[in-house]
Amino acid sequence: MRKSYEEINNRIKEGKAVVVTAEEIISIVKEKGIEQTLKEVDVVTTATFSPMCSSGAFLNFGHSDPPIRMEKITLNGVSAYSGLAAVDTYIGATEPSERDGIKYAGSHVICDLIDGKPVHLKASSNGTDCYPRKEIDTSITLDSINEAYLFSPRNCYQNYAAATNSSNKTLYTYMGILNPNMDNITYCTSGELSPLVNDPYYRTIGIGTRIFIGGAQGFISWQGTQFNTSRERSEKGIPLGPAATLAVIGDLRMMNTNYIKPAVIENYGASMYVGIGIPIPILDEEMLRHVIIENKDIYTSVFDYSVQRRERPVVCKVNYEQLRSGFVEINGKNIRTNTLSSLYKSREIANKLKELITNGEFMLQEPIQKFPVRNNGLKSLEVCDYEKKDKVNNYE
Amino acid sequence: MSKEIISINKKECVHCGICTAACTTGALTLDSNTWMLEYDASKCINCGLCVMACPLNVIMKVS
């Protein structure tokens, strides 16, 4: 049995679509079997709510009178990128503020804008004949500016590594607090609810897919940075470590800080919790078999972060059922596990998306271009002597 | 019943669990069914590590 996007969207419009979450579908198939479930279920919703550092927003302020070509920009004391046209900027989630450092960063500015709060804009310029103003000091809100959209170059990892620390001192990392002597393991995906785990070969998640992002309806705009589908996969097709990623876009004006929040990772840096939900249409039996993936079938590696190198040693391989149990046994010792990603919020988002689709408020969009199922992997940055190696482009 | 040493702004808490890594006594845990943050005051030793670890600044010391 096969269903097309058009057929599923028609059922959504008619209020007849059967939508369940990626957790619910597992027990439904166990109870009713593949064939019956395939007839009954149209869409499975997936979600994640995790710190996603590679996030940020494009803003256009509009022109002042006289106008200014902004060359240095701060928003509430957070530096924003000014290497674009006169009044365009990009503010990155992790950019710390001049006054408060990581305690108030780009992610806080983005969320203050979403909340409708006034934001202090300061900019300077050398002035030009067409943009004579040299300084501006004013207040903006989301309503007072032109475009304001989240554009994140890398969100929503397909699987992710877990972390531990074999050294005798506490480590503060993007994987959270790693206590000494392998006291804990941290991990960061929503497991069987995670979007790309439920569509491991990117049949329905691709460029142009409509998604729920931060409370808004947005889109996948491209493959995310560090997109790596050269990873070894399990029998069920799940990459055994960080693999595909998504570049995503969504209108800040439609967002809600219930689903997107600034985060400060202690002694590491700022980040942003981004809530993303992706619907997966059950087009055929193959798609249904993908979305019944369970935590016990999703494996990742635990890396030792005490080794401060690009390649860290693998301590062991674990599945998400083990990680979710609260303990993983290594060498006869029970090591407690801690998540960084909120399963509570991921479930909330999966259910919200389910509600939107069921009510006919969220239509499915077929990808306009698919992602590569297998690419050439990632390149590394090698440190070389520029003076000796590259004199070809002698622009200095 | 033990006196609460910390207070958690439950409206703003996202139940991410980062604080549970900082908590070495098991006073802060995630419920294995609901995955909501739980606080057991009887296990809390007032170390304050969770306050520093919370990425959303929603855990406060009561006194």
Side-chain angles (χ1 to χ4, degrees):
Chain A
M1 184 184 177
R2 289 176 186 274
K3 291 177 197 169
S4 67
Y5 275 87
E6 192 181 2
E7 285 166 339
I8 294 173
N9 275 333
N10 282 338
R11 286 175 62 76
I12 295 171
K13 276 182 209 160
E14 292 164 5
K16 293 178 180 169
V18 176
V19 188
V20 299
T21 72
E23 289 185 317
E24 292 166 340
I25 192 73
I26 295 167
S27 52
I28 292 170
V29 168
K30 279 178 183 166
E31 185 193 327
K32 298 186 174 180
I34 287 281
E35 205 172 315
Q36 187 60 29
T37 309
L38 190 56
K39 285 180 192 161
E40 291 180 12
V41 175
D42 298 301
V43 183
V44 167
T45 59
T46 64
T48 182
F49 186 89
S50 308
M52 301 190 195
C53 294
S54 203
S55 303
F58 280 104
L59 310 173
N60 177 283
F61 300 119
H63 288 287
S64 59
D65 185 26
I68 181 171
R69 187 186 72 177
M70 298 178 182
E71 291 168 8
K72 282 190 177 168
I73 303 170
T74 61
L75 292 162
N76 282 352
V78 178
S79 179
Y81 184 67
S82 56
L84 298 166
V87 292
D88 282 333
T89 193
Y90 184 80
I91 182 156
T94 66
E95 184 73 35
S97 63
E98 293 157 355
R99 197 184 69 181
D100 297 321
I102 64 170
K103 289 185 177 171
Y104 188 91
S107 54
H108 295 85
V109 175
I110 292 167
C111 290
D112 279 349
L113 282 169
I114 294 170
D115 280 336
K117 293 179 184 169
V119 168
H120 186 188
L121 165 64
K122 285 178 80 173
S124 61
S125 169
N126 285 321
T128 69
D129 289 342
C130 47
Y131 292 109
R133 185 188 284 270
K134 292 187 176 179
E135 284 187 337
I136 193 163
D137 186 332
T138 186
S139 175
I140 62 159
T141 65
L142 198 55
D143 286 340
S144 76
I145 62 177
N146 293 312
E147 289 75 15
Y149 52 88
L150 195 80
F151 182 85
S152 300
R154 184 171 70 254
N155 281 177
C156 215
Y157 254 111
Q158 183 182 29
N159 208 348
Y160 207 76
T164 192
N165 165 25
S166 70
S167 77
N168 59 8
K169 66 171 189 176
T170 301
L171 299 179
Y172 297 91
T173 73
Y174 60 85
M175 289 299 289
I177 298 165
L178 299 172
N179 295 307
N181 307 315
M182 293 195 0
D183 174 69
N184 68 329
I185 293 169
T186 61
Y187 63 100
C188 192
T189 89
S190 54
E192 63 197 20
L193 198 53
S194 183
L196 284 163
V197 162
N198 282 279
D199 185 9
Y201 296 108
Y202 329 117
R203 281 189 65 203
T204 67
I205 299 178
I207 298 166
T209 300
R210 182 178 286 112
I211 61 171
F212 176 100
I213 177 166
Q217 292 191 23
F219 294 92
I220 295 169
S221 47
W222 202 252
Q223 65 187 49
T225 54
Q226 291 179 200
F227 185 97
N228 178 9
T229 47
S230 69
R231 290 262 178 219
E232 186 188 348
R233 290 174 185 262
S234 69
E235 279 178 18
K236 303 233 174 187
I238 308 299
L240 299 176
T245 62
L246 304 178
V248 293
I249 193 164
D251 191 344
L252 289 193
R253 287 194 176 90
M254 305 304 288
M255 290 190 185
N256 175 336
T257 51
N258 185 37
Y259 302 110
I260 181 168
K261 286 181 184 290
V264 179
I265 312 291
E266 185 185 4
N267 291 342
Y268 170 72
S271 186
M272 189 151 71
Y273 277 104
V274 184
I276 293 180
I278 303 185
I280 297 183
I282 305 305
L283 302 171
D284 52 26
E285 184 178 328
E286 184 191 344
M287 278 319 301
L288 182 56
R289 289 192 182 278
H290 285 317
V291 297
I292 56 173
I293 189 78
E294 294 183 56
N295 285 329
K296 66 182 172 61
D297 296 318
I298 308 167
Y299 282 83
T300 192
S301 299
V302 180
F303 287 90
D304 185 353
Y305 274 57
S306 69
V307 176
Q308 295 180 321
R309 299 297 300 268
R310 183 173 63 206
E311 306 294 335
R312 299 184 176 98
V314 174
V315 176
C316 62
K317 287 195 188 302
V318 291
N319 64 42
Y320 279 82
E321 188 175 68
Q322 292 171 283
L323 290 168
R324 289 273 181 79
S325 73
F327 292 94
V328 167
E329 189 185 317
I330 300 177
N331 299 329
K333 182 186 168 192
N334 269 344
I335 298 174
R336 65 194 178 106
T337 56
N338 308 108
T339 174
L340 310 179
S341 139
S342 171
L343 184 57
Y344 173 83
K345 293 295 284 186
S346 302
R347 282 178 175 165
E348 184 184 330
I349 291 165
N351 279 305
K352 179 68 185 174
L353 182 56
K354 175 180 159 178
E355 179 192 316
L356 289 170
I357 298 168
T358 305
N359 293 342
E361 297 170 64
F362 190 110
M363 306 304 288
L364 306 193
Q365 175 62 51
E366 186 174 2
I368 55 169
Q369 185 168 307
K370 300 274 178 76
F371 293 141
V373 172
R374 187 169 176 83
N375 70 1
N376 293 327
L378 297 181
K379 292 172 182 165
S380 302
L381 178 61
E382 303 305 335
V383 182
C384 61
D385 186 336
Y386 172 79
E387 289 295 327
K388 286 181 185 166
K389 190 171 178 182
D390 192 354
K391 286 269 185 185
V392 178
N393 296 316
N394 191 7
Y395 50 80
E396 289 179 353
Chain B
M1 193 170 163
S2 303
K3 189 184 170 191
E4 291 196 349
I5 295 162
I6 57 165
S7 75
I8 301 159
N9 180 342
K10 288 179 182 161
K11 190 167 171 274
E12 291 297 320
C13 177
V14 297
H15 312 275
C16 63
I18 287 181
C19 58
T20 65
C23 179
T24 55
T25 64
L28 286 167
T29 53
L30 290 176
D31 180 274
S32 60
N33 289 317
T34 64
W35 291 88
M36 290 178 80
L37 185 65
E38 292 189 333
Y39 173 54
D40 181 347
S42 69
K43 293 181 179 172
C44 183
I45 58 169
N46 197 16
C47 64
L49 292 175
C50 58
V51 176
M52 290 186 285
C54 176
L56 290 146
N57 199 25
V58 300
I59 304 178
M60 305 285 173
K61 281 201 174 187
V62 171
S63 53

